Amino acid sequence: LTLTKSTTEPSLRFEGDSNKDFVLTISGETFTLTTNDGATDILVADHDTRYVGILRSSPRAPLDIDCADGVADNTFALRVQNLEATDDRSYGAYIQAGSTATDSALHIYEHTGANTLFRVRGDGNVSIGSLSSSTFHVSGDEGSSISAVARFRGTNTTARATRLQLEDYSGGIADGIIE
């Protein structure tokens, strides 16, 4: 099947049941898959940037998923599932990014995009609820008279105590023991 450009942009309609059609169009450097009304972009591929948008008409990154309000209600916007059943051979997401303290290998925000929930910087430092520059920083407030910022639980059911060890740069160790 070959579509050639004429006076209008080429399009191809796949008809489904009960008005559930898909329409493929090529406009300039952009390939678009839309719903039957042609108004809702499902997939957009930009020839020049080689960016792909899912539910986004102008992709801002090599893979850009943009779920508008109500589109991903009560579900995930992205799901990666590896069903490999062989032990030690099943992996999730692989991210290779970041190299310094000023860039991020992973940055997770709350839904408005205003507050950082979790960040892994390019230098390996991790922060939860903060953009602190320390190696590992946890910041939180439960909003009550007791503020539990972090909880560590030992899982050895036969141990009499749980130990939390802190080590400084010279190897000095401080112990905290809970009995």
Side-chain angles (χ1 to χ4, degrees):
L1 174 64
T2 301
L3 295 175
T4 51
K5 186 174 179 179
S6 60
T7 56
T8 61
E9 302 296 343
S11 67
L12 178 62
R13 178 179 291 272
F14 296 91
E15 292 185 0
D17 295 336
S18 302
N19 207 22
K20 301 287 184 188
D21 302 346
F22 290 98
V23 180
L24 296 174
T25 58
I26 299 173
S27 177
E29 294 80 30
T30 305
F31 169 89
T32 306
L33 173 66
T34 61
T35 57
N36 57 305
D37 60 3
T40 306
D41 292 336
I42 297 170
L43 180 92
V44 173
D46 187 295
H47 180 275
D48 290 343
T49 64
R50 297 186 176 153
Y51 287 1
V52 174
I54 298 175
L55 303 174
R56 174 141 189 100
S57 59
S58 299
R60 303 162 293 192
L63 176 61
D64 193 353
I65 301 171
D66 195 1
C67 297
D69 187 26
V71 172
D73 183 29
N74 202 30
T75 190
F76 294 100
L78 174 66
R79 180 177 173 162
V80 177
Q81 184 176 7
N82 182 346
L83 298 176
E84 175 57 53
T86 306
D87 288 346
D88 302 321
R89 313 251 329 143
S90 181
Y91 305 99
Y94 176 89
I95 299 172
Q96 181 177 346
S99 59
T100 68
T102 59
D103 53 22
S104 295
L106 178 65
H107 206 144
I108 301 173
Y109 296 90
E110 48 78 44
H111 79 282
T112 68
N115 299 302
T116 295
L117 299 177
F118 182 84
R119 179 181 181 208
V120 178
R121 292 188 337 198
D123 62 358
N125 290 354
V126 175
S127 61
I128 300 172
S130 169
L131 286 178
S132 173
S133 61
S134 61
T135 302
F136 181 71
H137 183 100
V138 178
S139 177
D141 183 2
E142 292 182 349
S144 64
S145 61
I146 300 173
S147 183
V149 173
R151 177 179 289 169
F152 300 92
R153 175 180 284 172
T155 57
N156 183 341
T157 58
T158 61
R160 296 184 353 232
T162 297
R163 169 180 276 164
L164 177 63
Q165 286 189 324
L166 305 174
E167 183 175 344
D168 68 12
Y169 69 95
S170 65
I173 295 177
D175 270 330
I177 298 177
I178 303 169
E179 293 190 66

